Each structure stands twice: as structure tokens, then as C-alpha cells.
Amino acid sequence: MVIRSKDVRQSESIELLEPEVVELAEEAGETPVATVNLRLMRDVQLTTTGKVTGKSYHWSGAGSITPVDEPDVELLLQRGVHKSCCGSLSKSYFEIVGD
Amino acid sequence: MALVTGNPYGNIQVQEDIYLESAPTIWFQDYTSAEFFAPDADGYYWQLTGTSTYPVYEMGCAANVSMTENLTVNDVLCDNVGVKDTVQQRNYLELQFTIRSFFPFDNLTHVLKGGAVTETAPTQKFGMSTVNNNKFWHVYAAKVYDEIAGDYFAIHLHKAKFVNAFTINMPFGSPWEVTGVVFRAFADTTKPANQRFGVFVRSDASVIT
């Protein structure tokens, strides 16, 4: 689109406007994935991959919270549950953080 | 005829016919966190409660557990009489043990005075660098001596640090072990004067009524 300036007498100035950029909507077939906030209960800096989605998640230390895609939550909650040497049952690496 | 025993007269505090055996289970937690009883109804600070930020660490498979104290001892010497008295000052308490459980690293690294643990499946790693001298712990060691009644004896140390050099023994045909593990418990000036270093606890409903 070209706009001719009416105020310039000696020379004509032409202002070029960039065509509007129309952002595409979300690609067909992609829907937002629900996430669940998981709090790390272990004293480690943890990086792990979701077994279902293949996404990589990172926790910076004990008490840190990271959103996790819902399909990965169940398997992550089973992580770390095993019998300790002294008979007690260790707890999961994670706990779900309420809304 | 009365039995002649040579016992003293009057009010006598006898000892009970209960004998403790085997080591207590030892736990520790970052000193930054509050104790579970902070304080309890009797004014004592003890027991641990783990949080997501400050978990309680268990010392699995401890062996050769012992507890001792370090005192400054000075005699009061009178040149005309000799030693009339001995003045003592408690410097610290120590809980010493060997551990035969190595994993996970999040427990082991503190025993070895190591660094933060990084975990990227399937590995865990931590570095050995300079000792962090600002790291203190609550320590809680409990021994259940009647598992049916739930009677137990516990020792709680308020402010302890892993001190001294460790040794990792790797013998043939026997489990690896970390020896030289020492918790040194210092006076905690934030606690009342009657429990500067720690607290001894006993729970026994059949005897303590």
C-alpha cells in the first residue's frame, strides 16, 4: 500500500507500509496438554524424561516444582518407591502440588 | 530374720532389669529446619519431621555405633592438700559409626562431605571439593527396645557436623563400608541451657506412668 504525502511540495515522499502479518492459529490437531505440578522430594538436581511423552523435565533441588504433562505423571510418581535396608518403605521422588 | 545385704538405708533409686542391645537407627536433617517438637510440652526440642525442602536422611545399616563426649578437665590443685576438685566443661558430644549402605547418593554425599547430587537417569553424580564448614545437622538416633509395646529410647543432638576423615573399606567377600563417620554435636546457643547439646528421650508406658 502506498501513501503519498500531501504536504511535501518539492519532492514526493512515498511511505511503504509493511504488509500485515497474519499469525496462524494453532495447527489443526494440536490441543493443549494438561499439566500437573510435581514437587521433588529428594535432595538432588534431577533431569528426567517422561516415559509417555518423551519430554524432558528438570528439577533444581529438593522442594522445587515443575509442571509435568499429565500422561507422564503416573510413572513419575512410582519412581523411587522401594524397600529400604532397615525395613521401611521409601517414598516417591515426587508429590503432587495442589492448585 | 531379715536378709543382710549391706544395702544403704532410706530412699534408694534402683536400676531396672531392662537391657538395651543392638544399635539405634540414625537419621539426620538440615539444621535449618525446625525440630518436630520445638518445643514439646516439657520445653524440650527433639524429633525430626522431613519436608520437601529438608528431607530426613536415614543412615541405613549402621555398625559399630558408639557415643562419647569430649571434656576439658582441669584439677583444682592446692599445694598444701593436693587435688581438691576437678573442674569439667563439656566441649561436644560425638556419635560415631560405620555405614554399609552406600546408596542413594543423596544420603552418601553428606556423610562424605561431598557436593550436591545431580541425577540424570540412569546416573547420579556428586563432586568432591572443599568441605563446606557451614553445614550443620539435627541428629536423631532411636532404639525401640520393646517392639510389641512400642517402648523406645532416643538421642537427639541439636547441632552436629560430620567431622574427621572417612575411610571406605572395600574388602574381598565382605560389604564395602564407610568407617570414621563421626557426628560432632556442638552447643546450640538457641536452645535452653538445660539442653544445649541435645536431649535423651525414653518412652515406656508400662514403667513411666
PDB file of all heavy atoms in Angstrom, chain B residues 158-172:
ATOM      1  N   HIS B 158      21.278 -31.508  68.773  1.00  0.00           N
ATOM      2  CA  HIS B 158      20.706 -30.326  68.123  1.00  0.00           C
ATOM      3  C   HIS B 158      21.504 -29.844  66.922  1.00  0.00           C
ATOM      4  O   HIS B 158      20.924 -29.555  65.874  1.00  0.00           O
ATOM      5  CB  HIS B 158      20.612 -29.163  69.120  1.00  0.00           C
ATOM      6  CG  HIS B 158      19.673 -29.420  70.241  1.00  0.00           C
ATOM      7  ND1 HIS B 158      18.413 -29.925  70.049  1.00  0.00           N
ATOM      8  CD2 HIS B 158      19.809 -29.224  71.575  1.00  0.00           C
ATOM      9  CE1 HIS B 158      17.805 -30.038  71.215  1.00  0.00           C
ATOM     10  NE2 HIS B 158      18.628 -29.619  72.155  1.00  0.00           N
ATOM     11  N   LYS B 159      22.816 -29.713  67.090  1.00  0.00           N
ATOM     12  CA  LYS B 159      23.607 -29.041  66.066  1.00  0.00           C
ATOM     13  C   LYS B 159      24.905 -29.801  65.861  1.00  0.00           C
ATOM     14  O   LYS B 159      25.880 -29.579  66.576  1.00  0.00           O
ATOM     15  CB  LYS B 159      23.890 -27.595  66.502  1.00  0.00           C
ATOM     16  CG  LYS B 159      24.544 -26.739  65.433  1.00  0.00           C
ATOM     17  CD  LYS B 159      24.738 -25.305  65.918  1.00  0.00           C
ATOM     18  CE  LYS B 159      25.300 -24.411  64.815  1.00  0.00           C
ATOM     19  NZ  LYS B 159      25.502 -23.025  65.300  1.00  0.00           N
ATOM     20  N   ALA B 160      24.916 -30.678  64.872  1.00  0.00           N
ATOM     21  CA  ALA B 160      26.067 -31.554  64.663  1.00  0.00           C
ATOM     22  C   ALA B 160      26.650 -31.349  63.277  1.00  0.00           C
ATOM     23  O   ALA B 160      25.998 -30.824  62.371  1.00  0.00           O
ATOM     24  CB  ALA B 160      25.657 -33.011  64.848  1.00  0.00           C
ATOM     25  N   LYS B 161      27.875 -31.786  63.139  1.00  0.00           N
ATOM     26  CA  LYS B 161      28.581 -31.675  61.870  1.00  0.00           C
ATOM     27  C   LYS B 161      29.350 -32.968  61.646  1.00  0.00           C
ATOM     28  O   LYS B 161      29.843 -33.573  62.592  1.00  0.00           O
ATOM     29  CB  LYS B 161      29.536 -30.476  61.944  1.00  0.00           C
ATOM     30  CG  LYS B 161      30.371 -30.234  60.717  1.00  0.00           C
ATOM     31  CD  LYS B 161      31.451 -29.190  60.985  1.00  0.00           C
ATOM     32  CE  LYS B 161      30.933 -27.791  60.836  1.00  0.00           C
ATOM     33  NZ  LYS B 161      32.027 -26.791  60.849  1.00  0.00           N
ATOM     34  N   PHE B 162      29.448 -33.375  60.393  1.00  0.00           N
ATOM     35  CA  PHE B 162      30.311 -34.508  60.057  1.00  0.00           C
ATOM     36  C   PHE B 162      31.762 -34.025  60.157  1.00  0.00           C
ATOM     37  O   PHE B 162      32.152 -33.069  59.485  1.00  0.00           O
ATOM     38  CB  PHE B 162      30.047 -35.014  58.640  1.00  0.00           C
ATOM     39  CG  PHE B 162      28.805 -35.844  58.516  1.00  0.00           C
ATOM     40  CD1 PHE B 162      27.677 -35.330  57.896  1.00  0.00           C
ATOM     41  CD2 PHE B 162      28.767 -37.144  59.011  1.00  0.00           C
ATOM     42  CE1 PHE B 162      26.519 -36.102  57.773  1.00  0.00           C
ATOM     43  CE2 PHE B 162      27.619 -37.917  58.892  1.00  0.00           C
ATOM     44  CZ  PHE B 162      26.487 -37.392  58.279  1.00  0.00           C
ATOM     45  N   VAL B 163      32.531 -34.675  61.008  1.00  0.00           N
ATOM     46  CA  VAL B 163      33.926 -34.275  61.180  1.00  0.00           C
ATOM     47  C   VAL B 163      34.836 -35.481  60.977  1.00  0.00           C
ATOM     48  O   VAL B 163      34.381 -36.629  60.947  1.00  0.00           O
ATOM     49  CB  VAL B 163      34.182 -33.667  62.581  1.00  0.00           C
ATOM     50  CG1 VAL B 163      33.362 -32.409  62.779  1.00  0.00           C
ATOM     51  CG2 VAL B 163      33.904 -34.684  63.671  1.00  0.00           C
ATOM     52  N   ASN B 164      36.088 -35.175  60.835  1.00  0.00           N
ATOM     53  CA  ASN B 164      37.155 -36.171  60.698  1.00  0.00           C
ATOM     54  C   ASN B 164      37.105 -36.861  59.339  1.00  0.00           C
ATOM     55  O   ASN B 164      36.125 -36.776  58.593  1.00  0.00           O
ATOM     56  CB  ASN B 164      37.117 -37.201  61.828  1.00  0.00           C
ATOM     57  CG  ASN B 164      37.468 -36.558  63.160  1.00  0.00           C
ATOM     58  OD1 ASN B 164      37.965 -35.440  63.215  1.00  0.00           O
ATOM     59  ND2 ASN B 164      37.214 -37.283  64.239  1.00  0.00           N
ATOM     60  N   ALA B 165      38.171 -37.572  59.064  1.00  0.00           N
ATOM     61  CA  ALA B 165      38.333 -38.204  57.756  1.00  0.00           C
ATOM     62  C   ALA B 165      37.603 -39.536  57.696  1.00  0.00           C
ATOM     63  O   ALA B 165      37.647 -40.320  58.645  1.00  0.00           O
ATOM     64  CB  ALA B 165      39.814 -38.414  57.466  1.00  0.00           C
ATOM     65  N   PHE B 166      36.931 -39.806  56.600  1.00  0.00           N
ATOM     66  CA  PHE B 166      36.294 -41.098  56.415  1.00  0.00           C
ATOM     67  C   PHE B 166      37.280 -42.041  55.725  1.00  0.00           C
ATOM     68  O   PHE B 166      38.268 -41.619  55.117  1.00  0.00           O
ATOM     69  CB  PHE B 166      35.018 -40.962  55.580  1.00  0.00           C
ATOM     70  CG  PHE B 166      35.258 -40.529  54.156  1.00  0.00           C
ATOM     71  CD1 PHE B 166      35.623 -41.435  53.165  1.00  0.00           C
ATOM     72  CD2 PHE B 166      35.112 -39.194  53.802  1.00  0.00           C
ATOM     73  CE1 PHE B 166      35.855 -41.025  51.862  1.00  0.00           C
ATOM     74  CE2 PHE B 166      35.335 -38.776  52.500  1.00  0.00           C
ATOM     75  CZ  PHE B 166      35.709 -39.684  51.526  1.00  0.00           C
ATOM     76  N   THR B 167      36.978 -43.320  55.824  1.00  0.00           N
ATOM     77  CA  THR B 167      37.722 -44.337  55.078  1.00  0.00           C
ATOM     78  C   THR B 167      36.698 -45.276  54.450  1.00  0.00           C
ATOM     79  O   THR B 167      35.752 -45.690  55.122  1.00  0.00           O
ATOM     80  CB  THR B 167      38.652 -45.145  56.011  1.00  0.00           C
ATOM     81  OG1 THR B 167      39.587 -44.263  56.616  1.00  0.00           O
ATOM     82  CG2 THR B 167      39.403 -46.219  55.228  1.00  0.00           C
ATOM     83  N   ILE B 168      36.853 -45.587  53.200  1.00  0.00           N
ATOM     84  CA  ILE B 168      35.974 -46.554  52.539  1.00  0.00           C
ATOM     85  C   ILE B 168      36.757 -47.849  52.389  1.00  0.00           C
ATOM     86  O   ILE B 168      37.753 -47.898  51.652  1.00  0.00           O
ATOM     87  CB  ILE B 168      35.494 -46.056  51.165  1.00  0.00           C
ATOM     88  CG1 ILE B 168      34.711 -44.742  51.315  1.00  0.00           C
ATOM     89  CG2 ILE B 168      34.611 -47.105  50.492  1.00  0.00           C
ATOM     90  CD1 ILE B 168      34.246 -44.137  50.004  1.00  0.00           C
ATOM     91  N   ASN B 169      36.333 -48.866  53.112  1.00  0.00           N
ATOM     92  CA  ASN B 169      36.961 -50.182  53.015  1.00  0.00           C
ATOM     93  C   ASN B 169      36.270 -51.017  51.951  1.00  0.00           C
ATOM     94  O   ASN B 169      35.041 -51.042  51.890  1.00  0.00           O
ATOM     95  CB  ASN B 169      36.893 -50.903  54.368  1.00  0.00           C
ATOM     96  CG  ASN B 169      37.702 -50.183  55.431  1.00  0.00           C
ATOM     97  OD1 ASN B 169      38.818 -49.740  55.160  1.00  0.00           O
ATOM     98  ND2 ASN B 169      37.163 -50.056  56.614  1.00  0.00           N
ATOM     99  N   MET B 170      37.038 -51.710  51.129  1.00  0.00           N
ATOM    100  CA  MET B 170      36.498 -52.476  50.009  1.00  0.00           C
ATOM    101  C   MET B 170      37.072 -53.888  50.060  1.00  0.00           C
ATOM    102  O   MET B 170      37.845 -54.299  49.190  1.00  0.00           O
ATOM    103  CB  MET B 170      36.864 -51.794  48.694  1.00  0.00           C
ATOM    104  CG  MET B 170      36.514 -50.311  48.674  1.00  0.00           C
ATOM    105  SD  MET B 170      37.280 -49.471  47.272  1.00  0.00           S
ATOM    106  CE  MET B 170      37.026 -47.767  47.681  1.00  0.00           C
ATOM    107  N   PRO B 171      36.660 -54.690  51.072  1.00  0.00           N
ATOM    108  CA  PRO B 171      37.300 -56.000  51.249  1.00  0.00           C
ATOM    109  C   PRO B 171      36.726 -57.058  50.331  1.00  0.00           C
ATOM    110  O   PRO B 171      35.571 -56.962  49.875  1.00  0.00           O
ATOM    111  CB  PRO B 171      36.973 -56.315  52.720  1.00  0.00           C
ATOM    112  CG  PRO B 171      35.672 -55.625  52.958  1.00  0.00           C
ATOM    113  CD  PRO B 171      35.672 -54.384  52.092  1.00  0.00           C
ATOM    114  N   PHE B 172      37.487 -58.077  50.124  1.00  0.00           N
ATOM    115  CA  PHE B 172      37.040 -59.214  49.320  1.00  0.00           C
ATOM    116  C   PHE B 172      36.034 -60.028  50.121  1.00  0.00           C
ATOM    117  O   PHE B 172      36.268 -60.372  51.260  1.00  0.00           O
ATOM    118  CB  PHE B 172      38.249 -60.073  48.941  1.00  0.00           C
ATOM    119  CG  PHE B 172      37.882 -61.313  48.158  1.00  0.00           C
ATOM    120  CD1 PHE B 172      37.603 -61.218  46.796  1.00  0.00           C
ATOM    121  CD2 PHE B 172      37.809 -62.559  48.766  1.00  0.00           C
ATOM    122  CE1 PHE B 172      37.272 -62.348  46.067  1.00  0.00           C
ATOM    123  CE2 PHE B 172      37.475 -63.684  48.046  1.00  0.00           C
ATOM    124  CZ  PHE B 172      37.204 -63.588  46.691  1.00  0.00           C
TER     125      PHE B 172
END
